[in-house]
Amino acid sequence: MVNEKLRDELTDRLCAAVLTLKTTEECYRFFEDICTISELKAMSQRLEVAHMLDSGHTYEDIVERTGASTATISRVKRCLNYGADGYQIVLQRLSGAC
């Protein structure tokens, strides 16, 4: 279920834009234009944290591999456990693609 506080015309358009991307190269080009390098690296880090948590890694392993703070790891864990299942959708689809 989508948090209705997030939903608006501009966010709908952003989601629609992401769904038009067809290749990794297109994704890199779009995200390079729309995000700062720090924003993109932070999103990438959170996805890896989610993957590692889902795979049963400890906080210590995750900090060592990703450099994420324990606060970031805790936030991602909370989303995995109580969030909108966005991470779970992506993680399941990525594992099926490998």
Side-chain angles (χ1 to χ4, degrees):
M1 171 167 261
V2 175
N3 180 342
E4 290 302 319
K5 292 180 183 177
L6 294 175
R7 189 178 290 267
D8 63 24
E9 184 179 341
L10 296 177
T11 307
D12 285 352
R13 187 163 174 82
L14 174 62
C15 291
V18 170
L19 290 171
T20 69
L21 301 170
K22 293 183 175 28
T23 66
T24 302
E25 176 70 21
E26 287 180 356
C27 287
Y28 268 100
R29 292 170 68 177
F30 177 72
F31 284 110
E32 183 177 343
D33 283 350
I34 201 165
C35 297
T36 66
I37 292 171
S38 295
E39 290 167 337
L40 184 56
K41 293 293 185 182
M43 288 189 292
S44 301
Q45 181 188 65
R46 288 192 296 269
L47 181 58
E48 181 60 16
V49 168
H51 170 71
M52 292 183 75
L53 285 168
D54 194 56
S55 298
H57 290 268
T58 65
Y59 274 41
E60 293 80 20
D61 292 340
I62 297 168
V63 168
E64 185 176 317
R65 178 179 166 119
T66 68
S69 69
T70 56
T72 295
I73 298 168
S74 294
R75 183 182 184 285
V76 171
K77 185 173 184 173
R78 188 171 51 252
C79 289
L80 283 170
N81 292 328
Y82 306 108
D85 292 332
Y87 280 123
Q88 291 300 336
I89 292 167
V90 169
L91 292 172
Q92 288 173 6
R93 291 182 183 163
L94 286 174
S95 70
C98 297

